[in-house]
Amino acid sequence: MYTDTERCVRAVQSKDARFDGWFFTAVLTTGIYCRPSCPAVPPKPENMRFHPSAAACQAAGFRACKRCRPDAAPGSPEWNERADAVARAMRLIADGVVDREGVPGLAARLGYSARQVERQLRAELGAGPLALARAQRAQTARLLVETTALPMAEIAFAAGFASIRAFNDTVREVYALSPSALRARVPKTSGAAATAGVLVLRLPFRAPLTPDNLFGHLAATAVPGVEEWRDGAYRRTLRLPYGHGIVALAPAPAHIDCRLTLTDLRDLPVAITRCRRLLDLDADPVAVDDRLRTDELLAPLVDKAPGRRVPRTVDEAEFAVRAVLGQQVSTAAARTHAARLVTAHGEPVDDPHGGLTHLFPAPGALAALDPERLAMPRSRRTTLTTLVGRLADGTLRLGADSDWAEARVRLAALPGFGPWTVELIAMRALGDPDAFLPTDLGTRRAATLTGLPGTPAALTARAAAWRPWRSYAVQYLWATDDHPINVLPPPAGATSPRRATPPNDPAPRTPPPDPAKQVTP
């Protein structure tokens, strides 16, 4: 979008927050760069230059605006809408791969040479992988400076800098302030919670956002010991590159309240990225809803609760395992199966602020499980053990670098994986915004209630007009049900909403490998 000068100028002059993260405005007369919604008086159009990334602005010699803090804008939705090499590279950079493995490691994950990756990123983003990773380190440094009382030396290494000097130079270059001056601007009470080991952050998003089905789904399907709903927040454990963490996420009108406890502060940028991905915070709800409103039968659902997001995951392998556990059973049964695996194979963690006890077991730990001890049909045992075996030995990789089409092919080749399971993993684990579940019982029931075609083939044909946002259409359809997954959990002591029928019918005695009657894990 940044190449469309006229459109960018209009967005800046109207201070349109919908375009925050899509592009950045560099102002020639001041030497700063801003987000489109910056509250300052818009500069003259001839003094504006537009860049696709904060890193490109920094590389051109501009510093971040102190008022609008462009580094804190929501991420570009492009990187979660595409599966090409550039989009996958951006997801991997956000997940800290360059800091941990360098540019050669990034290129190896993508299947390209380092030179090819550098060329593609520069062509589209105006900066190479090192510059993009450096911009992310600067943002992490600012967060730690402003939200903790840690010594600057600890912050420098936690943010990923190789030296104190590099830390100081980068902060001065990006923010035109020394780290100590940056901290001095923060009210003294801001770091109180952080001194107790908890980082208190605000995660921005593009409005509108309807949190009901997003948090309701996560809370209703929470695996005991790994996830919980407590004091108005969804809490869960996180397996991270350098250690583990616990996060509490709660909806607020203009942001998501985030409270993070980490065993290693180097995991902060990765933890934030995964939480944003879990809640689909980088989505462009206006673009999604505008497309879905073109269908006269979907339009009332969108108008009733605009800005629905797709509840995703912080661990793709974990979700794939949970998808198999949820085949042909109720939500309660799926949670029970998962809780047993967690108790037997999960890594214990300490949670002084709640009731979380374990990390969800990694594929390597599950590869050693005894299938005879699994209380499920033999065919599903085979499905589960095959899946964890492929994940453990690396022949199946599910992650930020996954090519969606290739992952679908590899999943479909596994025993017991039919279209429902494959598309559910594509939607919620891989993040494909166009995944579709026409055979899902809830989708078909909602389609019938709203007047849409009830058969999978006819519904798929009708849904062609919803592309590339069919995953969001599924959320709107699912939300027509009055099941608790579609509402925020009630406060402690309040009566939970009830419905007459279960959200997913129990399995027949001899289920096929991947029928429509499934539970969403």
Side-chain angles (χ1 to χ4, degrees), residues 10 135 239:
R10 289 200 306 268
R239 184 183 300 277

Side-chain angles (χ1 to χ4, degrees), residues 467-478:
R467 305 189 77 166
W469 309 118
R470 292 184 299 175
S471 289
Y472 295 89
V474 170
Q475 303 307 312
Y476 281 106
L477 290 172
W478 280 350

Side-chain angles (χ1 to χ4, degrees), residues 115-496:
R115 184 176 179 180
Q116 286 175 306
V117 172
E118 179 89 22
R119 184 171 61 249
Q120 291 186 52
L121 288 174
R122 284 189 177 278
E124 187 160 345
L125 286 141
L130 289 177
L132 292 163
R134 178 177 178 267
Q136 180 168 286
R137 286 196 296 273
Q139 180 182 359
T140 303
R142 179 184 64 79
L143 280 173
L144 291 172
V145 167
E146 295 180 344
T147 62
T148 76
L150 290 171
M152 295 299 176
E154 291 186 33
I155 290 176
F157 292 109
F161 290 97
S163 68
I164 303 294
R165 180 176 180 178
F167 163 68
N168 288 329
D169 290 347
T170 298
V171 170
R172 285 194 182 95
E173 180 181 333
V174 174
Y175 301 110
L177 290 170
S178 67
S180 57
L182 199 61
R183 175 170 281 174
R185 291 167 55 91
V186 181
K188 297 299 183 183
T189 56
S190 297
T195 59
V198 179
L199 298 171
V200 181
L201 311 170
R202 292 183 174 184
L203 306 183
F205 56 77
R206 292 180 183 82
L209 183 146
T210 295
D212 302 0
N213 71 304
L214 181 61
F215 284 91
H217 202 121
L218 295 172
T221 61
V223 176
V226 175
E227 304 164 287
E228 67 175 359
W229 182 266
R230 181 183 291 265
D231 299 329
Y234 166 76
R235 304 179 73 247
R236 73 155 292 149
T237 57
L238 303 171
R239 184 183 300 277
L240 299 165
Y242 296 106
H244 67 265
I246 292 175
V247 65
L249 299 163
H255 60 270
I256 299 296
D257 286 325
C258 175
R259 299 175 67 88
L260 269 169
T261 304
L262 302 172
T263 58
D264 192 318
L265 285 175
R266 289 178 295 175
D267 284 321
L268 177 60
V270 177
I272 292 174
T273 295
R274 294 183 183 179
C275 290
R276 294 190 64 82
R277 186 170 173 80
L278 170 72
L279 301 181
D280 197 16
L281 297 185
D282 291 326
D284 184 353
V286 174
V288 173
D289 291 352
D290 284 351
R291 172 59 62 87
L292 299 183
R293 282 193 183 98
T294 60
D295 190 306
E296 61 182 9
L297 296 179
L298 274 184
L301 305 182
V302 176
D303 292 337
K304 180 180 178 181
R308 291 198 183 277
R309 301 300 206 268
V310 179
R312 293 199 168 124
T313 184
V314 295
D315 187 319
E316 295 83 359
E318 172 191 318
F319 187 85
V321 170
R322 291 173 62 173
V324 172
L325 295 177
Q327 288 180 342
Q328 278 292 292
V329 297
S330 67
T331 301
R335 295 176 71 229
T336 298
H337 286 318
R340 288 172 180 165
L341 288 183
V342 166
T343 301
H345 303 281
E347 180 182 336
V349 299
D350 180 43
D351 177 20
H353 305 292
L356 303 179
T357 60
H358 290 81
L359 298 173
F360 196 88
L366 291 177
L369 63 82
D370 180 4
E372 296 301 321
R373 303 187 65 179
L374 299 174
M376 59 180 64
R378 185 173 299 277
S379 61
R380 201 167 310 133
R381 294 181 201 171
T382 301
T383 300
L384 180 62
T385 55
T386 303
L387 170 66
V388 297
R390 299 287 174 83
L391 290 170
D393 65 19
T395 54
L396 174 64
R397 292 176 56 185
L398 302 176
D401 56 334
S402 293
D403 179 283
W404 297 335
E406 179 183 345
R408 278 181 167 91
V409 171
R410 291 182 178 274
L411 287 168
L414 300 178
F417 273 74
W420 184 91
T421 307
V422 171
E423 287 301 300
L424 185 66
I425 292 173
M427 175 192 294
R428 294 194 53 201
L430 303 182
D432 184 351
D434 201 39
F436 192 50
L437 286 78
T439 62
D440 178 78
L441 180 62
T443 303
R444 295 173 62 188
R445 186 160 52 200
T448 301
L449 289 174
T450 55
L452 291 164
T455 63
L459 184 59
T460 299
R462 176 67 174 255
W466 307 341
R467 305 189 77 166
W469 309 118
R470 292 184 299 175
S471 289
Y472 295 89
V474 170
Q475 303 307 312
Y476 281 106
L477 290 172
W478 280 350
T480 60
D481 203 329
D482 62 351
H483 186 263
I485 66 170
N486 293 318
V487 295
L488 289 175
T495 302
S496 299

